[in-house]
Amino acid sequence: MTDMREQAYRAVQERCGIIDWPAWGVIHVGGVDRAGFLHNLLSNDITALQPGSGCEAALLTASGKLVASLIVLADSDALWLLVDRARLTTVVSTLERYRITEDVALTDVSADWTVLALQGPQSPALLTNVLRCTRALSKPLAHCLVIHPPTRDGTTQRDVVRCLAYPLTCHPGVLLTVPPRLAEGLRGLLRQHGAVSVGSETLNVLRLEAGMPWYGIDMDEANLLPETGLEERLVSYTKGCYVGQEVIARLHTYGSVSQHLMGLVFDGTIVPERGDHILKDGQPVGDITSACFSPALKGPIALGYVKRPYYEAGIATIVMRERRAIPSTVIKLPFHEVSDTYTA
């Protein structure tokens, strides 16, 4: 790591980092049937959401393949979907295809919001000091609206900032949706109060240490949801039917997937790359999806899909990097819970 990246990495570990997060778009869902409509399509329990709460969910194909992972937030008069911008058009068009007579309006409002992220143990303190956010956001995906602080001439901005408890790393985190014209000023205020800017490369290291897959890199529409390991966060097994539910329920009850996203740790200092093959006893058993050098583990780490029956913690493998065999060990995610013996 360069000195600046090391500073940003340490800031998230010990204090607070600020991250521009343009990767997510925002969809406004209105209409009296909005909750029931999304409940029948998404993998989690949408009708159980109360204003100020949220959940993660998946939009799947009928065969259980992952169209997109989403965050669903509930207000008293609307629902909001936060989704990877690369999947925004697909999500809107897919949901619209299922809308027949329901009173539901889906609107892409991404241009109305800039998404910032505060990550690190001092994130709650910055919310209080900068945005006067006194509401406790201790529950995951709890959120609230705060009025932007008064301007220098004493007038009050009528704009609001949404604060959402959500980590992009293994550290405490908050997402902020901000009107674009206020974003730069808010960034400056957060930096004045000690937040350190974190770039995409440093964020990639932090999210890999947390074992968080990114859509388009570690998972896509070719993957069954249970292959990604995200079903514990994204699926309700008691809510009833939704698109792809039969496949997910059958795998949960009776079987296992043929491959699973796992962590790998490596001997030496060579960092593998996306697409490098994972071998067991000379035979290919998977592929790397993303990798980095981890300061926390003091060595290379990677995410990759490993075939059954080899996706078990402690299994020794080899990863091929340009004809060079790198000894590796399969582990359960996340990396930050891994002991010195590489078990989880």
Side-chain angles (χ1 to χ4, degrees):
M1 275 189 171
T2 65
D3 290 343
M4 291 186 63
R5 291 177 190 167
E6 174 67 19
Q7 182 184 15
Y9 179 89
R10 300 311 310 175
V12 175
Q13 299 276 1
E14 300 169 0
R15 303 183 305 280
C16 182
I18 181 172
I19 302 162
D20 284 285
W21 194 237
W24 278 1
V26 184
I27 302 169
H28 176 273
V29 187
V32 296
D33 298 327
R34 60 188 181 274
F37 174 74
L38 291 179
H39 186 82
N40 291 334
L41 297 176
L42 303 182
S43 62
N44 217 333
D45 191 343
I46 308 304
T47 57
L49 296 179
Q50 298 297 315
S53 69
C55 70
E56 294 180 271
L59 177 62
L60 305 173
T61 67
S63 58
K65 299 295 182 66
L66 182 61
V67 177
S69 59
L70 313 95
I71 293 175
V72 185
L73 305 178
D75 280 343
S76 59
D77 58 352
L79 292 169
W80 303 84
L81 306 180
L82 275 62
V83 62
D84 189 309
R85 275 187 184 267
R87 305 302 291 164
L88 193 60
T89 300
T90 299
V91 168
V92 172
S93 62
T94 301
L95 294 176
E96 286 284 9
R97 189 168 69 245
Y98 286 104
R99 186 170 65 87
I100 303 174
T101 60
E102 294 89 352
D103 180 4
V104 175
L106 300 160
T107 308
D108 177 6
V109 294
S110 303
D112 298 335
W113 302 102
T114 294
V115 182
L116 304 176
L118 293 178
Q119 302 288 299
Q122 293 183 8
S123 298
L126 259 71
L127 282 183
T128 300
N129 295 336
V130 176
L131 289 174
R132 305 295 187 264
C133 179
T134 57
R135 175 178 170 179
L137 299 177
S138 56
K139 292 184 178 180
L141 297 169
H143 57 98
C144 64
L145 298 175
V146 295
I147 301 295
H148 192 272
T151 58
R152 290 182 179 179
D153 61 6
T155 61
T156 301
Q157 296 279 2
R158 300 309 303 165
D159 301 277
V160 295
V161 174
R162 186 181 301 274
C163 305
L164 164 66
Y166 187 78
L168 299 176
T169 70
C170 61
H171 306 283
V174 181
L175 295 185
L176 307 175
T177 56
V178 185
R181 64 188 182 85
L182 304 179
E184 188 54 40
L186 182 54
R187 287 189 196 95
L189 284 172
L190 292 167
R191 292 189 189 107
Q192 289 175 25
H193 283 75
V196 175
S197 295
V198 176
S200 58
E201 292 186 20
T202 303
L203 175 59
N204 185 56
V205 172
L206 289 161
R207 70 94 185 178
L208 281 170
E209 290 181 345
M212 293 184 175
W214 279 352
Y215 198 96
I217 299 176
D218 305 297
M219 54 187 181
D220 56 30
E221 203 163 347
N223 293 114
L224 290 164
L225 177 60
E227 292 177 352
T228 69
L230 295 177
E231 68 276 11
E232 291 185 6
R233 286 165 36 195
L234 275 60
V235 173
S236 167
Y237 289 104
T238 60
K239 61 163 285 185
C241 293
Y242 57 89
V243 177
Q245 182 265 343
E246 290 185 4
V247 175
I248 303 304
R250 186 165 60 248
L251 286 169
H252 178 69
T253 303
Y254 300 111
S256 60
V257 289
S258 61
Q259 62 175 1
H260 201 282
L261 189 68
M262 301 295 292
L264 293 100
V265 292
F266 299 86
D267 296 343
T269 60
I270 299 174
V271 178
E273 294 186 7
R274 177 180 173 83
D276 287 350
H277 297 312
I278 304 166
L279 307 180
K280 177 64 178 175
D281 298 329
Q283 298 300 312
V285 297
D287 296 290
I288 299 297
T289 60
S290 53
C292 72
F293 186 91
S294 166
L297 274 72
K298 298 180 174 58
I301 61 174
L303 299 183
Y305 286 96
V306 181
K307 295 179 181 179
R308 186 177 56 216
Y310 303 110
Y311 52 73
E312 297 292 338
I315 289 183
T317 54
I318 294 292
V319 170
M320 296 304 300
R321 168 97 291 265
E322 296 179 345
R323 299 184 179 181
R324 183 167 181 175
I326 312 172
S328 56
T329 304
V330 176
I331 67 162
K332 294 180 181 178
L333 298 170
F335 288 101
H336 68 85
E337 294 180 358
V338 177
S339 71
D340 290 339
T341 57
Y342 296 150
T343 59

